[in-house]
DNA sequence: TGTACATCAGTGAACGCGCGTTCACTGATGTAC
DNA sequence: TGTACATCAGTGAACGCGCGTTCACTGATGTAC
């Protein structure tokens, strides 16, 4: 996956762009960041990539095809960021779990354009099954982390993994999309979204009985 | 707030529409429901309302003005639905609280167009302060319910109202926007969103210590 | 190593279309007297 | 009760614009022999 054959400032590109797909994605992301998930057109992305309006048709069926590719790459990036945050559950599951939540928010803040392409672009998952699959792989990082955390619990108190994973997803997603996103739709609150999520997850884990009572700090 | 002076099937309307604002909103909502929050144009809404493309300018500055009015009405409806669900905390705070959560999901499912206009239209709250205010009134229903629930707790265990309200909002909103919305962006899960939210909130309340241990059913 | 050829990935001109917006206008309604 | 007039809420024609999409084309690249 190389950039322009002859990249670098001041270089001339020839008849072939060399990396139009990536250039279109990059252009679309910048436009989304400026104007929201509906804020770009096929022609505009082509113009921003320095290419004729017909060129994108060599790579994408239509605007939705480009959008789906963006969402796909978004979920892939998301998966790797979440995996890195979880880091195999080291040094212990609870610490890593907290990092995972912060990783979710960090992504929403750092990549608002990807975030809205993934969750708010209105793409049909049926039309783009590979996007759905990529989304599931991201979810699996959360689910595996929940499974690891559940492993540390006494057997008779263990909740269903799927339920807990969906709960944690909804919590992180709720905070991210209401308070932590890096765009104009963020609602201001008098505390950091990270602290808010941390507190919520800790209370939730207490409710599950993950932490021993003796470990609970006074609230 | 009347409908057409001469409403009813087969009736003729005169030169004046009589209720163009409401007709435009209704048309826009139908278009949003079909094609997402970006899925209508000013001209299209006018056409759907049976009026010339210049007519909407008598009522709205531009498309965003109409969108903001939709979001405003959405928040007002949302507020009254949530209030009705809470119903003054009767017969007891916990029961009413559960109803409140279900009310949140019911709104997302029944009014996906309003929901996305309110939360995903990309409107700037700074440009439309009355929309922000209406959103805050909806939030206040949640906050007041949390305050009432906190009242039932022993004094030394009471969490900050604002924190709890934001937690509950994020939980309900996360479930609603991921799993309960009434449009194509809903993700299928192997249980009802209502049960999922109920379980999450109960676990969260357990974590807070709202319920006595003796009352906890075996998980 | 050279050459012929297939394929790939662009061009640029063209088209029909619908949108946003404006304008002078006009029909309908409300009100002062 | 009638009349004159101000105001409101529409019309419809017009405009420039950018979009999506197509088409025949062509420059660049890869490969078989």
């Amino acid at each position: 996956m190389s950039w322009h054959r002859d990249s670098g400032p001041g270089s001339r590109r020839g008849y072939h762009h060399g990396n139009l797909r990536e250039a279109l994605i990059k252009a679309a992301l910048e436009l989304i960041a400026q104007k929201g998930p509906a804020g770009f057109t096929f022609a505009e992305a082509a113009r921003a990539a320095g290419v004729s309006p017909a060129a994108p048709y060599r790579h994408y069926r239509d605007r939705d095809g480009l959008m789906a590719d963006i969402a796909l790459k978004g979920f892939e990036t998301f998966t790797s960021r979440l995996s890195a945050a979880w880091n195999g559950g080291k040094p212990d599951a609870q610490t890593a779990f907290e990092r995972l939540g912060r990783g979710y928010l960090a992504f929403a803040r750092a990549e608002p354009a990807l975030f809205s392409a993934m969750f708010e672009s209105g793409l049909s998952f049926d039309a783009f099954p590979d996007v759905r699959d990529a989304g599931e792989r991201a979810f699996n990082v959360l689910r595996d982390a929940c499974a690891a955390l559940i492993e540390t619990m006494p057997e008779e108190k263990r909740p269903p993994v799927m339920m807990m994973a969906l709960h944690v997803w909804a919590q992180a997603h709720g905070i991210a999309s209401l308070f932590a996103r890096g765009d104009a739709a963020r609602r201001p609150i008098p505390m950091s979204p990270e602290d808010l999520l941390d507190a919520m997850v800790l209370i939730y884990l207490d409710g599950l009985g993950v932490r021993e009572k003796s470990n609970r700090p006074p609230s």
Side-chain angles (χ1 to χ4, degrees), chain A residues 40-155:
Chain A
F40 80 96
T41 63
F42 220 31
E44 205 173 3
R47 208 178 315 123
V51 107
S52 86
Y57 289 87
R58 296 285 161 199
H59 298 277
Y60 296 107
R61 194 176 194 284
D62 54 19
R63 206 194 97 109
D64 267 9
L66 172 53
M67 197 59 141
D69 203 20
I70 291 171
L72 181 66
K73 292 213 171 5
F75 278 120
E76 285 169 356
T77 304
F78 196 38
T79 300
S80 69
R81 299 269 177 91
L82 292 180
S83 285
W86 172 246
N87 190 27
K90 287 175 239 169
D92 63 90
Q94 279 196 45
T95 304
F97 204 69
E98 189 173 307
R99 265 202 326 261
L100 185 59
R102 288 174 173 266
Y104 202 109
L105 302 190
F107 181 84
R109 180 178 283 119
E111 313 282 359
L114 284 177
F115 192 80
S116 62
M118 290 152 63
F119 292 109
E120 293 163 7
S121 64
L123 280 181
S124 155
F125 291 122
D126 293 334
F128 299 97
D130 49 340
V131 174
R132 186 220 315 276
D133 295 348
E136 259 170 40
R137 282 192 294 276
F139 172 69
N140 287 346
V141 177
L142 286 189
R143 200 199 49 199
D144 293 350
C146 286
L149 197 55
I150 286 172
E151 280 291 309
T152 69
M153 298 174 68
E155 221 165 308

